[in-house]
């Protein structure tokens, strides 16, 4: 992504299998694009699972659902509109959108509406709980896929990192403040918050961290650096220059 603020926090995998050949640039780009759009589509679908479960949505979708109740729009359409408005807030924060940012605005809402069109309502506590659990896990998978592709932060995540840089407040504080604000506003507008909202809040962090590592891109080998001639006091095995620098997690 042009904006790698989130990607740079991804830790590269340790001890990659020796049988993996270095990825060619074209193949690497194809994989990144596949991860991006698969992740965004899965994110929209998993959000639809939470809607159909009826046990509570994540804070932003509580807000989207509340607006949808008031306007008569579909929740996916509201998600697209809110994403576009949030993106406008990047301008004073001097954030730069990437392909993933613009794709996020459109793809998540569209796939959410498409999934809701074919996914029936569920009834009974067991079926609702199963659909809720599936939605949360798939949301974590989707987050790992599209963020690890490194094509740019989503509009809401970019707003968080932009406010963090401009205010000097911690990311945790900024994110908590944003999500509490949209959650309260969404509930007041008629959105659904409940046990699913709490379960999502507790589970999505660990799940996202897990799947970010699972879908991290293979590291490309760095170009060999010229090694100065070893002095009698320093051999290549013990020279500080012999220790490779850790590769960036989201190198292009």
């Amino acid at each position: 992504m042009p904006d790698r603020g989130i990607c740079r926090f991804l830790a590269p995998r340790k001890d990659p299998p020796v049988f993996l050949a270095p990825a060619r640039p074209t193949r690497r780009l194809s994989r990144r694009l596949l991860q991006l759009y698969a992740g965004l589509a899965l994110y929209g679908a998993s959000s639809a699972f939470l809607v159909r479960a009826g046990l509570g949505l994540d804070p932003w979708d509580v807000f989207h659902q509340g607006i949808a109740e008031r306007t008569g729009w579909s929740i996916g359409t509201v998600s697209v509109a809110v994403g576009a408005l949030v993106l406008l807030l990047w301008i004073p924060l001097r954030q730069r959108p990437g392909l993933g940012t613009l794709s996020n605005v459109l793809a998540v809402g569209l796939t959410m509406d498409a999934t809701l069109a074919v996914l029936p309502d569920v009834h009974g506590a067991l079926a609702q709980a199963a659909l809720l659990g599936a939605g949360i896990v798939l949301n974590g998978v989707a987050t790992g896929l599209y963020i690890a592709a490194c094509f740019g932060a989503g509009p809401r995540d970019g707003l968080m990192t932009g406010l963090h840089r401009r205010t000097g407040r911690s990311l945790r504080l900024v994110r908590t403040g944003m999500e509490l604000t949209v959650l309260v506003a969404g509930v007041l507008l008629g959105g659904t918050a409940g046990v699913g909202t709490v379960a999502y809040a507790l589970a999505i962090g660990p799940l996202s961290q897990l799947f970010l590592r699972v879908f991290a891109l293979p590291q490309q080998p760095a170009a060999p650096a010229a090694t100065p001639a070893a002095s009698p006091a320093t051999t290549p095995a013990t020279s500080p220059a012999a220790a490779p620098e850790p590769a960036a997690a989201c190198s292009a």
Side-chain angles (χ1 to χ4, degrees), residues 2 26 33 57 65 79 83 108-109 146-147 152-153 160 180 188 193-194 202 204 216-218 220-221 229 246 249:
T26 302
L33 288 169
L57 308 176
Q65 189 182 53
S79 176
V108 172
Y146 87 81
I147 292 183
M160 173 188 67
L180 283 176
L188 292 175
L202 293 174
I204 195 61
L217 298 169
Q220 294 190 12

Side-chain angles (χ1 to χ4, degrees), residues 40 76-88 90 97-111 153-156:
L40 293 176
T77 301
V78 173
S79 176
V80 172
V82 170
L85 290 174
V86 169
L87 197 56
L88 292 178
W90 284 33
L99 174 64
T101 309
L102 302 177
S103 299
N104 186 302
V105 171
L106 294 173
V108 172
L110 295 177
T111 55
R156 296 156 186 82

